[in-house]
Amino acid sequence: MNFFVKTSLAIVLSLVTITQAKTKIPTPASLVPSNAGKHGFVTIDPQTKRLMFEDGTPARFYGVCFQSYLEATTPISDETMTTLLDDLKEMGVNVIRFQTHTTKMQEGSLGEKINPVALDNRDRFFAHAIKRGIYLHMNLHTRGYGQELAKKYGGNSECIVMIDDIIEMNNKFVTDMLNHVNPHTGRAYKDEPAIISLQLGNEHHTYSREGWRNKYERHTGPIKEEVQRKFNRFLKDKYASRDALAKAWGDLLKDGENPAKGNVPVCNPYVRTWKDTRDPNAKESDMVLFCDAMQIRYHQIMRDLIRNKIGDKKHMISDNGWIRGDRLMRQTAHANLDLMDLQHYWPHGPRWRLPQKDAFAVSTIQDMGISILASMNTAREFDGVKKPGFITEYNSHMDNQYAWELYPVHAVMCNLTGIDGTTVWLYQSDSRPVWWSADHWFSFNRVYSDVRERLIPFVLGAYLARVDVKEEIDSEKLKELAKRVDDGKAKGLSVDFDASLEEKLAAKSFVSSDKQVTIDFPQGTMMLNTPQAIFHVGSGSFKHPMFTFTPYNTDERYCIGLFALDGQSFEDAKIIRVFSIADGTFNMPGFSGKWQGYNRFNKASRRSSENVSNQWTLDRAPN
């Protein structure tokens, strides 16, 4: 048995489990039913437009991003895989989202075939995960031969979804992968119900970050020729004549330039963001619409490939290529995708910020709460039309003093917006250098991550993700909550912003209609109060009819969560799990015992023989 299972769960996961003597205590692993796929494929509830399984069971997913073993070209042992998967299950993880780098998965000068070792690793990892109730959110293509080919012939990442030869190359890999039969399950990937969704690409945008959208004027060679040819065809279809184009563009259309001749040069697409100071001109606006058309075309090509040519009729098709698009792109994505993948970081910032050099304090609620909800809502609905959403990447800098808020608060916000899946970036294998897991910009790994700042909040989030919270946040509710402030100084904005975050949004408070969720944005407090679960973020003494908790440092922000583990209300429960990241005094009527100080540890790992014991135990008093 590995260290994580041997060590008291109270150490790593919840600081105290209050129970009657000799009662078997459920672990967070009990949040993860065995055998992923037993309820059928993940599909969409026709009434709520949220995720459900084919048998009608609601589908809710909480997990991590991980890819090391899924594309490794050297053999990974079964023990290594199952150790990782057992650890993740013990933290309440029931989904892994992974990327695919085709240069790792394929062999040959242009990726003519799939590497058999990498494929065997993937097959076995799938089988082990499925047996443990862990689902897969499958990315079909992240980076690889297509990107290398684009750079070789005069382009860059934006060409992955535009250039026909590159799309064809990628689609051969997708076809081979989905048709492959996993010998350990007996099912082809296209027939595997434990796969939630097929993500078309990872950040495959025709325009995106500033560095991407500034590439078009630098194209050379065959890439330049093909993009310009398609751009001129777009202009010819949009405008009835050159005169009509000249009227729209004015001096931006030069003498002799004519779409019919294919000689109108491209420009860089430009969409005004919250930090920009000018609006796009007519040509730049048309270039954005052209890029939108290319993104739409890519979605249509991929849907036809998956549904008609490969014959995969059941897996949902998702993508995150819309997240930095204009209104048209988001509208089209909502119309054409089955599942809306969203990625955001709160905050993002420079990669190599270290705590000792540049510590900062940004609260998930106080500084970013309304922006996070607005961002989530871009995945959930467009003009009142709902689609299921899945947040495939999110995290906060490890040098953010309040980074711990993100995991549990994010889980509650997902429930409020109706987002049914979330996977934190990143979770690295233990074979990574220590600096990657310990000092990297986001850092999440059970072996190296801080217990108080990362592990306890994450597992608290795993519980909160399963709490039944009424969906209440939509565009109309956001309008009620927030007012726009054009100061351009929203410190909570993610650098990976989307179209909802063009301006700072200020909000006062939110109270759910059933009064079970309360958020005070200026104070940075959140309260969830249901018969089976209580969660609080704030500072000072927390007084509730059920209990009182007072941290030793009343000026310190902290979170605390309680969960009745036996399906009863708190009044009747015999097993209650308590999470807190702060030391303090706890008083709960009906229970007696000694509240032991939290002995923090950071070095213990499953390779360590160190015996760490700091379980907090309380017994229910008579009557």
Side-chain angles (χ1 to χ4, degrees):
M1 187 179 293
N2 65 48
F3 169 85
F4 192 66
V5 178
K6 284 173 58 181
T7 305
S8 168
L9 287 171
I11 297 173
V12 179
L13 300 177
S14 56
L15 299 191
V16 57
T17 301
I18 306 170
T19 178
Q20 285 186 334
K22 298 182 180 180
T23 302
K24 184 178 180 181
I25 303 173
T27 72
S30 63
L31 299 171
V32 185
S34 60
N35 189 13
K38 67 179 181 180
H39 296 292
F41 281 80
V42 180
T43 184
I44 303 171
D45 186 310
Q47 278 74 47
T48 66
K49 305 301 180 183
R50 296 184 65 170
L51 298 184
M52 72 174 190
F53 296 108
E54 283 182 301
D55 65 1
T57 306
R60 306 291 180 264
F61 301 101
Y62 184 84
V64 300
C65 292
F66 181 80
Q67 64 201 50
S68 299
Y69 304 162
L70 288 146
E71 56 184 21
T73 55
T74 57
I76 307 296
S77 71
D78 289 316
E79 181 182 7
T80 298
M81 292 183 182
T82 56
T83 297
L84 171 89
L85 291 166
D86 287 340
D87 282 355
L88 291 176
K89 182 168 183 173
E90 286 297 326
M91 291 191 291
V93 166
N94 72 335
V95 60
I96 294 173
R97 179 257 183 172
F98 64 93
Q99 298 181 9
T100 296
H101 297 78
T102 57
T103 45
K104 296 181 180 179
M105 285 295 296
Q106 292 176 289
E107 293 181 328
S109 59
L110 291 177
E112 286 80 4
K113 66 176 183 177
I114 299 177
N115 182 297
V117 175
L119 189 57
D120 176 65
N121 285 330
R122 180 169 289 195
D123 285 341
R124 289 184 292 112
F125 191 92
F126 269 38
H128 290 310
I130 291 167
K131 289 179 181 178
R132 286 159 176 77
I134 298 177
Y135 286 77
L136 292 308
H137 185 292
M138 184 173 178
N139 169 266
L140 297 177
H141 183 217
T142 298
R143 298 286 184 271
Y145 286 99
Q147 187 179 36
E148 291 186 358
L149 194 68
K151 290 181 179 179
K152 181 178 179 180
Y153 290 103
N156 210 297
S157 301
E158 69 282 351
C159 298
I160 294 173
V161 301
M162 300 179 74
I163 305 302
D164 294 342
D165 286 348
I166 296 175
I167 294 173
E168 183 179 347
M169 177 192 302
N170 175 52
N171 287 358
K172 181 184 183 303
F173 169 79
V174 171
T175 301
D176 292 343
M177 180 60 63
L178 293 182
N179 283 325
H180 168 70
V181 176
N182 186 337
H184 304 284
T185 65
R187 295 182 293 273
Y189 281 22
K190 66 182 179 182
D191 299 320
E192 178 53 69
I195 296 174
I196 296 170
S197 177
L198 305 178
Q199 185 182 45
L200 300 182
N202 182 66
E203 300 183 14
H204 285 179
H205 314 267
T206 47
Y207 58 99
S208 174
R209 295 185 176 95
E210 186 173 354
W212 285 32
R213 66 183 189 226
N214 288 340
K215 300 290 186 181
Y216 283 82
E217 293 177 2
R218 305 181 199 173
H219 287 169
T220 60
I223 296 292
K224 178 179 180 179
E225 293 173 5
E226 183 167 345
V227 174
Q228 182 168 313
R229 183 168 63 251
K230 289 177 176 175
F231 179 55
N232 278 263
R233 187 182 307 139
F234 167 82
L235 294 176
K236 187 177 178 181
D237 291 341
K238 180 179 179 181
Y239 294 98
S241 65
R242 185 190 184 281
D243 289 341
L245 176 60
K247 183 177 180 180
W249 282 17
D251 293 341
L252 296 172
L253 185 66
K254 306 303 180 184
D255 291 341
E257 294 179 353
N258 190 337
K261 297 180 180 179
N263 64 354
V264 180
V266 301
C267 65
N268 291 324
Y270 176 78
V271 177
R272 182 173 180 175
T273 69
W274 62 276
K275 63 182 179 180
D276 292 320
T277 58
R278 72 173 181 88
D279 293 323
N281 61 40
K283 183 173 182 179
E284 289 169 332
S285 295
D286 270 342
M287 189 66 189
V288 168
L289 295 179
F290 163 69
C291 289
D292 281 347
M294 290 294 98
Q295 195 90 36
I296 295 165
R297 172 179 173 267
Y298 178 70
H299 286 167
Q300 293 170 342
I301 289 172
M302 295 303 295
R303 178 171 285 275
D304 178 64
L305 174 76
I306 293 168
R307 292 286 187 256
N308 300 323
K309 296 176 182 176
I310 296 175
D312 186 333
K313 303 293 187 180
K314 288 194 172 184
H315 282 129
M316 289 186 297
I317 298 174
S318 64
D319 191 34
N320 59 17
W322 58 272
I323 58 176
R324 298 175 190 89
D326 61 356
R327 180 177 174 83
L328 176 61
M329 172 45 55
R330 292 197 295 118
Q331 180 183 27
T332 304
H334 270 271
N336 292 338
L337 297 173
D338 304 313
L339 178 66
M340 300 294 291
D341 288 338
L342 178 65
Q343 297 181 200
H344 55 193
Y345 294 89
W346 307 98
H348 205 306
R351 286 195 177 202
W352 302 112
R353 299 171 76 165
L354 297 178
Q356 63 269 29
K357 293 181 180 179
D358 192 12
F360 64 102
V362 177
S363 163
T364 303
I365 304 170
Q366 189 171 31
D367 300 309
M368 305 179 292
I370 194 65
S371 294
I372 292 177
L373 290 170
S375 178
M376 288 180 173
N377 191 60
T378 62
R380 182 66 176 122
E381 66 104 341
F382 185 87
D383 281 353
V385 178
K386 298 282 188 179
K387 274 289 179 81
F390 199 111
I391 297 176
T392 53
E393 292 182 25
Y394 77 103
N395 213 324
S396 181
H397 263 289
M398 64 175 296
D399 55 330
N400 179 9
Q401 183 180 339
Y402 300 136
W404 54 265
E405 285 184 33
L406 186 63
Y407 302 134
V409 170
H410 199 267
V412 176
M413 289 180 170
C414 281
N415 284 327
L416 287 172
T417 53
I419 300 291
D420 293 323
T422 177
T423 48
V424 64
W425 178 272
L426 50 85
Y427 198 93
Q428 294 299 341
S429 65
D430 295 342
S431 60
R432 292 277 186 171
V434 174
W435 65 264
W436 180 271
S437 295
D439 292 332
H440 189 257
W441 51 331
F442 294 125
S443 179
F444 187 79
N445 178 281
R446 190 201 64 76
V447 174
Y448 299 116
S449 292
D450 181 82
V451 175
R452 177 185 183 274
E453 299 292 332
R454 296 286 178 176
L455 297 183
I456 290 173
F458 178 80
V459 181
L460 174 53
Y463 278 82
L464 290 167
R466 274 83 172 193
V467 174
D468 187 16
V469 173
K470 185 178 179 181
E471 177 187 348
E472 296 204 26
I473 302 295
D474 55 21
S475 292
E476 293 304 313
K477 177 61 68 173
L478 289 169
K479 289 177 183 178
E480 294 176 19
L481 290 176
K483 64 178 181 178
R484 293 192 177 276
V485 182
D486 267 329
D487 60 8
K489 299 178 181 178
K491 74 173 182 176
L493 282 179
S494 165
V495 172
D496 277 353
F497 65 90
D498 56 58
S500 71
L501 305 179
E502 296 174 355
E503 300 153 307
K504 180 178 179 180
L505 292 169
K508 294 182 179 179
S509 63
F510 166 79
V511 180
S512 63
S513 59
D514 55 11
K515 299 184 179 179
Q516 291 190 338
V517 179
T518 302
I519 306 174
D520 187 315
F521 294 102
Q523 295 299 316
T525 62
M526 174 181 281
M527 174 70 179
L528 182 145
N529 189 12
T530 72
Q532 291 83 30
I534 298 169
F535 170 63
H536 169 72
V537 174
S539 58
S541 180
F542 176 52
K543 297 181 180 180
H544 185 273
M546 287 293 302
F547 68 94
T548 300
F549 178 74
T550 303
Y552 294 141
N553 180 359
T554 56
D555 294 327
E556 178 184 15
R557 282 182 64 78
Y558 67 94
C559 62
I560 185 169
L562 291 84
F563 301 86
L565 301 184
D566 51 9
Q568 305 293 319
S569 66
F570 279 108
E571 287 79 2
D572 302 318
K574 293 181 172 61
I575 307 175
I576 297 174
R577 175 151 290 148
V578 182
F579 295 82
S580 176
I581 67 167
D583 295 332
T585 58
F586 184 91
N587 187 351
M588 190 169 189
F591 292 89
S592 63
K594 183 179 181 182
W595 186 257
Q596 300 173 11
Y598 173 34
N599 173 31
R600 294 185 181 86
F601 71 97
N602 296 304
K603 296 182 180 178
S605 76
R606 54 177 167 264
R607 295 186 298 275
S608 170
S609 60
E610 181 180 356
N611 183 17
V612 182
S613 179
N614 67 347
Q615 171 121 6
W616 297 357
T617 56
L618 289 83
D619 296 321
R620 183 182 287 277
N623 303 317

